[in-house]
Amino acid sequence: MFIKKIHNRSGSVSVIVAEKNKGNYTKLATIGIARDESEVDELMDRGRRWIAERQERLHPTLDFDGRAEAAKELERQEVERVVSSIENVLLNGCELILDRVFDLVGFNAIDDKVFRQLVHSRLSYPASKAATVEYLKNNFDEDVDLSKIYRYLDKLNGRYKDMAQEISVRHTMEMLGGHIGVVFYDVTTLYFETDREDDLRRTGFSKEGRHSNPQIILGLLVSLGGYPLAYCIHEGNKYEGHTMLPVIEEFVRKYDLEDFIVVADSGLMTAANIAELEQLGYKYIIGARIKGESDSVKKLILSMPKINGQMHEIDKGGGRRLLVGYTDDRARKDSYNRNKGVRRLERLYKRGRLTKESINKRGYNKFLDMSGDTTVVINRERISQDSAWDGLKGYLTNTDIPTGDVFTAYHNLWNVERAFRIAKSKIEIRPMFHFTRKRIEAHVCICFVALKCYKELERRLKAANIGMSVDKVLNMAKTVTTIVFRLPESGKTVTKTMPMKRHQRIAKLFTGEFWGMR
């Protein structure tokens, strides 16, 4: 008898036990189907045990003097003795990993066990506070009352916000060699599952299409690499362009920053914002609204040769530079989106659903015109004029860095966008079910610390060439067990974390060496 691996067309591997008799192969048993190497190894072990058990049944070992039976009995007693000393079994693999990250970033300076547990739960089991209480009870024997959590959030409020931001900034500066250099700012909206508004939760323009739900605006400042530095919360109906300067000014004052560049999207930059940035002596790179430039500048931009990857510079005076670049990829995207929008307008036109109220500046409705007093038509000439701008993107800056560096810095704004995606999809910062300002602010503070821990774990996994995402590592770690033994003679307890063979890819995360500890 032997074990045979069969590679299937689907990419999976079937592990079987077979035997050869007179040149013919006979399958005796299918052990299982594996989809990765760790599963193959496990099935191979099961196959060897299957063969050993079958061999024992076919050719039993004779025990003439009873020594084998005595050894088995001794073995059984020893196992029972060990098992009887088990005091607890914990599925705490996620907690062990996140504890290390939490401490190494420096958040252990916040000496608060409940805060630590709430941060961990946002990463390993993001859910409502009620579900979090059940999670802590079921997995860690933490008997935390829900009302206690709510009272805790009321007290937490802004208690740890400044401390959490300072720890995150100091750690980020250390990673970046002591100099932050570039800061990226953007905002998003966080909605609530309610129809009720108050002074903070207000309906406004929702980036998630939840225009009927009350929301708040969350502003986030991150460094290169997407590491969170600071955040701010504003009323849901506040103009997002008014949120940026206060958080940057406070950030600069608190950490005495010099020689840095603010990078932001065009939607955040009004003429007043730009003027104030310059008045304060800040360097900036922002997305420029090139279609809103003067006629002479627009004519100059459209006359420039469209060569993929090439940048052109226009001196705006006062130290400002307008950089305009063209890429084929952006041109294809602009054309595709416009054609898609126009097709939607054509469908509405055929159905007679375009009315006078449809004519506005929103999206592709800008291509609509009135013909007479009642008829709405699609302006084909305006569509043609718009196509002349395909592939063009402008950047306004008061720096003197090379054009290529301006392009690279601006397009690193995706770091903020990704930070928001992590906060929303992994940490599940929204929807929020809290209704008081204190609890909302406490919830956002917890999520901010969780985001920093997520990014730090991601950085360490990449540096160690683990080859797995944070989500996959934490998902696998959920089945890592720690056994707590009580020694009957001394009364002391011993804990043993037990990564199994299926945890081989993350086993090193449960060693002190991985975290630089001996």
Side-chain angles (χ1 to χ4, degrees), residues 76-283:
R76 185 187 63 78
Q77 292 175 3
E78 180 64 19
V79 169
E80 284 188 357
R81 185 186 70 79
V82 172
V83 171
S84 65
S85 68
I86 295 176
E87 187 177 76
N88 206 347
V89 178
L90 302 173
L91 288 170
N92 66 340
C94 283
E95 185 181 33
L96 293 174
I97 293 172
L98 295 174
D99 261 337
R100 296 284 199 192
V101 177
F102 190 91
D103 292 345
L104 288 171
V105 171
F107 289 126
N108 55 341
I110 302 175
D111 188 15
D112 187 324
K113 184 179 179 182
V114 177
F115 183 77
R116 179 188 288 259
Q117 288 175 334
L118 290 175
V119 170
H120 287 358
S121 66
R122 295 318 303 174
L123 290 162
S124 57
Y125 188 76
S128 67
K129 298 302 181 291
T132 298
V133 166
E134 289 302 312
Y135 170 73
L136 294 173
K137 285 180 181 179
N138 295 336
N139 289 271
F140 308 112
D141 283 349
E142 295 288 350
D143 193 11
V144 182
D145 186 73
L146 179 59
S147 60
K148 179 183 176 183
I149 293 290
Y150 286 137
R151 288 196 302 273
Y152 173 81
L153 292 175
D154 288 336
K155 291 179 182 178
L156 172 62
N157 191 14
R159 194 161 122 205
Y160 295 144
K161 178 182 177 181
D162 289 343
M163 197 172 181
Q165 289 183 147
E166 181 159 355
I167 291 169
S168 183
V169 170
R170 298 302 178 199
H171 182 264
T172 301
M173 289 182 77
E174 184 181 336
M175 286 190 301
L176 298 177
H179 181 61
I180 289 180
V182 183
V183 293
F184 304 88
Y185 182 80
D186 205 350
V187 300
T188 192
T189 52
L190 306 175
Y191 67 89
F192 295 78
E193 291 285 9
T194 181
D195 296 326
R196 181 181 169 187
E197 291 185 88
D198 53 38
D199 291 341
L200 179 63
R201 301 178 303 165
R202 309 288 295 180
T203 55
F205 177 75
S206 170
K207 292 178 180 290
E208 300 172 292
R210 297 273 187 157
H211 303 296
S212 61
N213 293 85
Q215 63 183 20
I216 62 172
I217 292 177
L218 174 66
L220 185 63
L221 199 67
V222 307
S223 71
L224 197 62
Y227 303 108
L229 300 169
Y231 69 92
C232 57
I233 298 172
H234 297 277
E235 300 82 3
N237 60 351
K238 188 170 185 175
Y239 171 54
E240 62 184 34
H242 295 157
T243 68
M244 184 182 72
L245 280 171
V247 71
I248 290 178
E249 281 190 82
E250 182 182 356
F251 185 72
V252 171
R253 175 188 57 78
K254 187 177 291 185
Y255 301 106
D256 197 24
L257 288 188
E258 295 180 358
D259 191 26
F260 66 95
I261 300 172
V262 179
V263 182
D265 188 45
S266 59
L268 294 163
M269 298 307 249
T270 63
N273 274 354
I274 295 172
E276 191 166 353
L277 281 173
E278 292 175 343
Q279 184 180 354
L280 292 169
Y282 298 161
K283 298 296 183 182

Side-chain angles (χ1 to χ4, degrees), residues 377-396:
V377 296
I378 300 173
N379 190 320
R380 300 291 173 178
E381 183 180 353
R382 197 173 297 163
I383 294 173
S384 177
Q385 291 171 351
D386 188 76
S387 67
W389 296 90
D390 286 356
L392 295 171
K393 174 66 179 175
Y395 314 89
L396 185 66

